[in-house]
Amino acid sequence: MIEVKSVGGKNPATVVLCFCENQIDEMKRTIFFYAIALAFLVFVLKSIEYRFYVRDLSIEFYIGFIAILFTVLGIWAGLKLTRKKTVVLSPDFVLDELKLQKLGISKREHEVLQLMATGLSNQEIADKLFVSLNTIKTHSSNLFLKLEVSRRTQAVQRGKELRLIP
Amino acid sequence: MIEVKSVGGKNPATVVLCFCENQIDEMKRTIFFYAIALAFLVFVLKSIEYRFYVRDLSIEFYIGFIAILFTVLGIWAGLKLTRKKTVVLSPDFVLDELKLQKLGISKREHEVLQLMATGLSNQEIADKLFVSLNTIKTHSSNLFLKLEVSRRTQAVQRGKELRLIP
DNA sequence: ATTAGAATCATCCTTTCGGGTGAAGGCAAT
DNA sequence: ATTGCCTTCACCCGAAAGGATGATTCTAAT
C-alpha cells in the first residue's frame, strides 16, 4: 500500500516535464500502467521476501534487488515520459491559425501554400485541386502579397517560419 | 557493493539508447555520477537501516522508501540520458558529406543549393557569388540532374531530406 | 604530359512564374 | 438587399527558370 501511494506522490514531479496538452492523456496512461506494474511487483516482492526469510538469506541482497528493479522501472518510466517529448519536437506541427487570420490567408490559399512547399508546379497544384491553372496563379499571387514575398521558394520559407506549414 | 555492481550491469541497456557517438562522453559522465550517487545513497540507507532496526520499525516502510528513491533516481537517469537525444534531433545539423560525394555534388553546386534554399533567385545567387547568371543556371541544372528533380523547390526539399542543407 | 573534373560563361529555345486587371458566382453578415 | 470576402476563371505581358549543347580555363590526379 505504501508503494502504491508513492506512485501517486510522483505525479507532481512528472507533470513538470510535460508541456504539451496533447501528451497528458498518454502520460496518464503511462502513470496508470506504472502503478499497476508497481503493485504487481510489490506482490511478487512480498512472496520473494517470505522465501528469503524462510531461507534466511541476506537482507542486503534483497534490498539490492529492489533497488535494481525500481531503477530500471524508473528509467523505463523516464524514457516513456520523454519519448513523447522527443517525438513532439520535430514531426509534430501545430498550425498557427491566429497568424493565418492575422495575415488574412484563406483556406484555399493555405492549401496552395502546402502543395507549393512539396515542390509542385502551379499546373500540378491545379490538377491536384481540380481547378484551372489560372486559379492557382491567382491564389499564389494573393498569397505572395500576404506573405510579403515575390517567389514561391520564399513563400515556402516564410510559411515555415510563421508555422503555417510543417 | 551489490548496488554499485548493478549500475555497471545497466550499461548494456543504456547503450542501446545511444546512437550518436558524440553523446557517449556525456553518457559516461552521467553513469559515473549515477554510480557515485548510488553509492552515497547505499551508505545513507545503511545508517537508516540500523536506525530502523533499533527502533524496530516496519520493514515494509523501509522497502517502500527504497523503491521510491530508486524510482526517482531511475527517472532522473532516464531523463538525463534522453535529454541529449532530444536536443540532438532538431537544431543540430550535420552535413552528410558522404551523400554529397555519392551524388557527385560539387562544392559550388552545394553552395548554390544552400542559397537556393533561402529563397534567392538565380540572379541573386549569381550576384552573391560574383559569377554570371549563366553559371548559376548551369550549376542548378547539374544539381537538378544529380538530385533527380526538375524544380528548385523540389531541390530544396530533397536537399533537406538528404541532410545536404539545414 | 595527358586526362578528368570543376568552374566559368555563352546561346538558343521552351516552359513556368509572377504581376496586373477584370469578372462572375456563391456565401455570410449587416 | 447591399456589401464584403472567397473562389473561380480568363487574358496579357515580361521576367525567371529550366533544358540542351558547346567552349574555355584551371587544377589535380594519372
Side-chain angles (χ1 to χ4, degrees):
Chain A
M1 277 207 283
I2 295 169
E3 287 80 6
V4 174
K5 262 201 224 161
S6 77
V7 176
K10 263 185 238 52
N11 273 356
T14 54
V15 164
V16 176
L17 305 166
C18 187
F19 310 103
C20 297
E21 287 176 345
N22 56 4
Q23 288 178 231
I24 289 180
D25 282 344
E26 177 68 21
M27 195 179 64
K28 277 179 184 169
R29 260 186 292 140
T30 299
I31 290 173
F32 180 71
F33 185 62
Y34 189 60
I36 295 289
L38 270 187
F40 178 72
L41 276 170
V42 168
F43 176 74
V44 172
L45 286 174
K46 282 296 171 194
S47 56
I48 293 175
E49 181 182 359
Y50 285 119
R51 232 183 291 163
F52 274 126
Y53 272 121
V54 169
R55 297 184 186 180
D56 201 35
L57 283 178
S58 164
I59 184 70
E60 289 185 5
F61 181 76
Y62 180 46
I63 291 170
F65 180 65
I66 292 176
I68 294 170
L69 251 177
F70 280 87
T71 297
V72 171
L73 214 60
I75 288 178
W76 170 78
L79 290 180
K80 184 82 179 168
L81 287 173
T82 51
R83 197 171 305 143
K84 283 285 124 3
K85 231 172 101 194
T86 304
V87 170
V88 159
L89 271 183
S90 24
D92 130 293
F93 163 70
V94 275
L95 204 158
D96 194 340
E97 308 219 26
L98 210 85
K99 220 165 276 172
L100 275 182
Q101 251 186 308
K102 204 156 43 183
L103 296 174
I105 294 175
S106 69
K107 274 151 285 167
R108 209 52 162 170
E109 286 161 353
H110 183 236
E111 219 168 341
V112 170
L113 177 59
Q114 287 175 325
L115 295 174
M116 210 175 256
T118 69
L120 296 181
S121 69
N122 285 341
Q123 183 62 63
E124 289 168 332
I125 296 174
D127 293 345
K128 193 154 275 189
L129 296 181
F130 301 106
V131 295
S132 92
L133 171 62
N134 292 309
T135 304
I136 300 303
K137 289 177 80 172
T138 305
H139 285 323
S140 57
S141 277
N142 293 332
L143 200 51
F144 294 160
L145 287 178
K146 289 167 183 175
L147 291 177
E148 294 175 299
V149 297
S150 52
R151 268 181 294 285
R152 59 184 33 236
T153 43
Q154 291 180 332
V156 170
Q157 243 216 160
R158 191 121 183 74
K160 294 194 179 190
E161 280 174 18
L162 301 175
R163 298 206 158 276
L164 307 179
I165 48 177
Chain B
M1 275 206 285
I2 294 169
E3 288 80 5
V4 174
K5 263 199 221 159
S6 77
V7 176
K10 261 185 241 56
N11 272 355
T14 54
V15 164
V16 176
L17 304 166
C18 186
F19 310 105
C20 299
E21 287 175 344
N22 56 2
Q23 289 177 231
I24 289 180
D25 281 345
E26 177 67 22
M27 195 180 63
K28 277 179 185 170
R29 259 185 293 141
T30 299
I31 290 173
F32 180 72
F33 185 60
Y34 189 60
I36 296 289
L38 270 186
F40 177 71
L41 276 170
V42 169
F43 176 75
V44 172
L45 285 174
K46 282 295 169 193
S47 56
I48 293 174
E49 181 181 359
Y50 286 118
R51 233 184 289 162
F52 274 127
Y53 272 121
V54 169
R55 297 184 186 179
D56 201 36
L57 282 178
S58 165
I59 184 72
E60 290 184 7
F61 182 76
Y62 179 46
I63 291 169
F65 179 66
I66 292 175
I68 296 169
L69 250 177
F70 280 87
T71 296
V72 171
L73 214 60
I75 288 178
W76 171 77
L79 291 179
K80 185 82 180 169
L81 287 172
T82 51
R83 197 171 305 142
K84 283 283 123 3
K85 232 171 99 193
T86 304
V87 169
V88 160
L89 271 184
S90 29
D92 122 299
F93 164 70
V94 275
L95 204 158
D96 194 341
E97 308 218 25
L98 211 84
K99 220 166 276 172
L100 274 182
Q101 251 186 308
K102 205 154 46 184
L103 296 174
I105 294 174
S106 69
K107 276 150 285 168
R108 209 54 161 169
E109 285 162 355
H110 184 235
E111 219 168 341
V112 170
L113 177 59
Q114 288 174 324
L115 295 174
M116 212 176 255
T118 69
L120 297 181
S121 69
N122 285 342
Q123 185 60 65
E124 289 168 331
I125 296 174
D127 293 344
K128 193 155 274 188
L129 297 181
F130 302 106
V131 295
S132 91
L133 171 61
N134 291 309
T135 304
I136 300 303
K137 288 176 83 170
T138 304
H139 284 324
S140 57
S141 277
N142 293 332
L143 201 51
F144 295 161
L145 286 178
K146 289 167 185 176
L147 292 177
E148 295 175 297
V149 297
S150 54
R151 268 181 292 285
R152 64 193 18 246
T153 44
Q154 291 180 332
V156 170
Q157 242 219 161
R158 191 122 185 73
K160 293 195 178 186
E161 280 174 18
L162 300 175
R163 300 204 157 276
L164 306 180
I165 47 177

